[in-house]
Amino acid sequence: MKDVVYDKLKILAESAKYDVSCSSSGVARNNKSRGLGNTAGGMGICHSYTEDGRCVSLLKILLTNVCIFDCAYCINRRTNDIQRASFSVKELVELTIEFYRRNYIEGLFLSSGIIKNADYTMERMLRVVKDLRTLHRFNGYIHMKSIPGASQELVNQAGLYVDRMSVNLEIPTEKNLKLLAPEKDHTSVFQPMKYIQQGVLENIEDRKRIRSAPRFVPAGQSTQMIVGATNETDKDILHISSLLYKRPTMRRVYYSGFIPVNNYDTRLPSIKQAPLVRENRLYQADWLLRFYGFKAEEIANDAYPDLDLEVDPKLSWALRHPEFFPVDVNRADYGMILRVPGIGVKSARLIVMSRRHGKITATQLRKMGIVMKKAQYFIICNELPNYTIHEATPKLLRSILTEPKKKTFASGQLPIIFPV
Ligand code: SF4
């Protein structure tokens, strides 16, 4: 690799590390004849970790960190005195191919600062993904960020070459976005989101008629919100997420704990490090929205606007709603079993399937992988002792289940011994 490209790589990979909205998921495409790579599994997959421990398995890079915008939360804002660099289209294409061949990466996550204007930048990004797919027959995963305000024509063209596209919402409410990023507005984000959605839905129809029609953003779209830079509550954030998930092509909402990189800006909160526990709780809550049948207002609402940082959101909900428990695992419907702390989607399905063949016992529950340490207080089944949330009280249960380590309970207190 030429020194000049290596120097750019160092700068532009460093500048890209704050975007968490990438994961290689949602599409399976095998290698075509004489093509290069595939989107999942096998050769070409490697993982790297950002400083705060997030897993990154793609070449995550900016086309340029030059930007005409001045977003307060961004390291690349135009008023920051940092080293700037830009790849040419050719350099970035060759770098991706070289990294793929060396088995460093499974694909590309391409983002960029805004040079000149949204369309000028988007057009260069389009050339990168188009050259990869057409000139080099690159068949690996490509996730491209669409530039806010980009035209429909460019979004439509890029969508034919990438697996996933994302447009970052960044700040959950328009008012606070205007405060921290005066040059942006939600329209410039929701418009490209709409273009992607339209393209995907039209493509589904096209492919019903012509099976060989090229696919358009087959892994759907994602977005990212920064958490903790502004005063939105978790209730506000989850409400927006639930609306976004109602859009048919929105696959993932990412939550990025605000990383204080521009401490001098008085519009930003003065914190020393990113609120990673809150970020983690939001991901857990997001999981509840997508896979556990919870509504956003059940997880966070006016009475509980922020997620409990001590216990996960599902346990927190259960402790606030003892009236729904204990759940009889031999009778309750799937949706209710899914709400039991310690029971996941896979084990809830197993319970429902297994009980067709006879009563489920505690031993079987353990074998199914249920976290009995939690679940035992929220369920009844044949031979479980009757120490449910009602006998224990939510307050005591909370203290037991937030214990960092095993604790020996004095006699008379709730035993956590479980009959095998
Ligand atoms: S537009 Fe993007 S790269 Fe430019 S300052 Fe804002 S967040 Fe940073």
Side-chain angles (χ1 to χ4, degrees):
M1 188 189 306
K2 288 182 192 157
D3 284 355
V4 61
V5 175
Y6 181 72
D7 290 343
K8 288 181 185 181
L9 175 65
K10 273 202 299 192
I11 295 168
L12 294 169
E14 175 72 16
S15 296
K17 73 180 184 186
Y18 299 102
D19 196 319
V20 296
S21 60
C22 66
S23 70
S24 170
S25 62
V27 67
R29 185 181 55 250
N30 291 326
N31 203 336
K32 295 176 197 149
S33 84
R34 291 168 50 218
L36 180 66
N38 48 46
T39 55
M43 181 181 142
I45 297 173
C46 61
H47 300 274
S48 60
Y49 293 87
T50 58
E51 275 169 29
D52 52 8
R54 295 168 200 160
C55 178
V56 180
S57 57
L58 312 172
L59 170 59
K60 187 176 179 183
I61 197 86
L62 298 187
L63 182 67
T64 177
N65 66 348
V66 174
C67 193
I68 56 169
F69 282 11
D70 202 32
C71 309
Y73 44 81
C74 179
I75 187 78
N76 303 315
R77 60 190 289 189
R78 81 169 170 260
T79 46
N80 270 359
D81 183 16
I82 56 167
Q83 261 194 307
R84 305 279 176 176
S86 302
F87 278 121
S88 69
V89 171
K90 188 165 178 278
E91 282 170 341
L92 189 46
V93 169
E94 284 175 358
L95 185 71
T96 308
I97 294 295
E98 191 180 331
F99 271 29
Y100 199 93
R101 289 215 161 104
R102 289 186 186 191
N103 208 19
Y104 292 170
I105 55 164
E106 63 171 316
L108 173 69
F109 175 82
L110 178 61
S111 183
S112 183
I114 303 175
I115 347 161
K116 289 193 184 173
N117 56 52
D119 275 356
Y120 180 85
T121 313
M122 190 73 182
E123 197 267 333
R124 288 165 69 96
M125 294 169 82
L126 166 64
R127 278 167 51 204
V128 171
V129 295
K130 187 175 176 182
D131 284 3
L132 277 170
R133 291 287 195 230
T134 55
L135 295 183
H136 296 270
R137 303 171 67 86
F138 179 73
N139 204 34
Y141 185 86
I142 300 181
H143 178 162
M144 181 172 139
K145 285 267 299 288
S146 175
I147 301 296
S151 70
Q152 184 163 15
E153 195 194 335
L154 289 171
V155 172
N156 284 350
Q157 283 191 55
L160 294 171
Y161 303 107
V162 303
D163 293 289
R164 175 166 286 184
M165 249 199 222
S166 55
V167 200
N168 285 353
L169 196 55
E170 305 289 22
I171 302 296
T173 57
E174 173 99 21
K175 182 172 142 259
N176 283 333
L177 180 68
K178 279 277 169 214
L179 176 73
L180 297 188
E183 290 126 328
K184 287 183 177 169
D185 57 37
H186 273 182
T187 310
S188 67
V189 175
F190 287 120
Q191 254 328 332
M193 274 186 191
K194 208 169 117 196
Y195 300 151
I196 298 167
Q197 179 175 308
Q198 267 177 8
V200 173
L201 297 179
E202 282 169 19
N203 184 243
I204 290 170
E205 290 306 311
D206 288 348
R207 284 175 60 84
K208 280 182 193 160
R209 290 193 300 274
I210 311 164
R211 263 200 75 69
S212 59
R215 298 185 77 187
F216 183 92
V217 194
Q221 56 178 319
S222 60
T223 190
Q224 171 185 280
M225 281 188 267
I226 298 172
V227 175
T230 41
N231 61 1
E232 288 89 358
T233 61
D234 294 334
K235 176 193 143 207
D236 302 329
I237 293 169
L238 290 172
H239 175 67
I240 292 166
S241 299
S242 68
L243 293 179
L244 288 168
Y245 281 129
K246 288 197 176 119
R247 297 171 175 229
T249 57
M250 181 56 69
R251 297 285 171 82
R252 286 296 306 270
V253 177
Y254 290 88
Y255 308 93
S256 175
F258 166 63
I259 300 168
V261 288
N262 299 322
N263 284 330
Y264 60 86
D265 195 315
T266 52
R267 290 169 293 172
L268 296 167
S270 76
I271 55 172
K272 288 211 163 54
Q273 58 183 35
L276 292 182
V277 180
R278 185 179 175 198
E279 178 189 295
N280 186 37
R281 293 289 178 232
L282 280 164
Y283 277 116
Q284 291 172 326
D286 186 277
W287 205 255
L288 296 185
L289 288 179
R290 290 188 295 141
F291 303 113
Y292 285 77
F294 279 83
K295 295 199 173 79
E297 55 273 22
E298 290 181 285
I299 304 168
N301 47 43
D302 287 341
Y304 299 93
D306 287 308
L307 297 173
D308 192 327
L309 298 184
E310 285 188 341
V311 297
D312 68 73
K314 189 174 168 191
L315 178 58
S316 172
W317 178 84
L319 293 174
R320 295 199 309 266
H321 292 283
E323 69 276 15
F324 288 107
F325 300 100
V327 166
D328 184 344
V329 290
N330 282 301
R331 289 164 180 267
D333 64 28
Y334 171 76
M336 205 53 231
I337 293 175
L338 211 46
R339 290 191 172 224
V340 174
I343 297 184
V345 173
K346 201 172 149 200
S347 31
R349 283 198 198 122
L350 268 176
I351 289 172
V352 173
M353 271 173 11
S354 310
R355 69 189 184 187
R356 290 188 202 137
H357 309 291
K359 293 248 178 213
I360 291 181
T361 64
T363 312
Q364 285 170 312
L365 289 175
R366 281 190 162 164
K367 282 186 182 159
M368 288 176 197
I370 285 152
V371 185
M372 293 304 281
K373 185 187 158 197
K374 276 188 195 171
Q376 61 177 317
Y377 306 111
F378 299 93
I379 55 174
I380 46 172
C381 79
N382 288 340
E383 74 283 41
L384 276 176
N386 200 19
Y387 291 115
T388 68
I389 184 168
H390 297 290
E391 287 73 34
T393 74
K395 195 174 166 206
L396 180 57
L397 262 196
R398 184 187 169 83
S399 77
I400 292 168
L401 295 175
T402 50
E403 285 297 324
K405 285 186 188 139
K406 273 191 182 170
K407 181 178 170 184
T408 312
F409 290 94
S411 66
Q413 277 193 303
L414 184 72
I416 47 173
I417 304 154
F418 190 75
V420 183

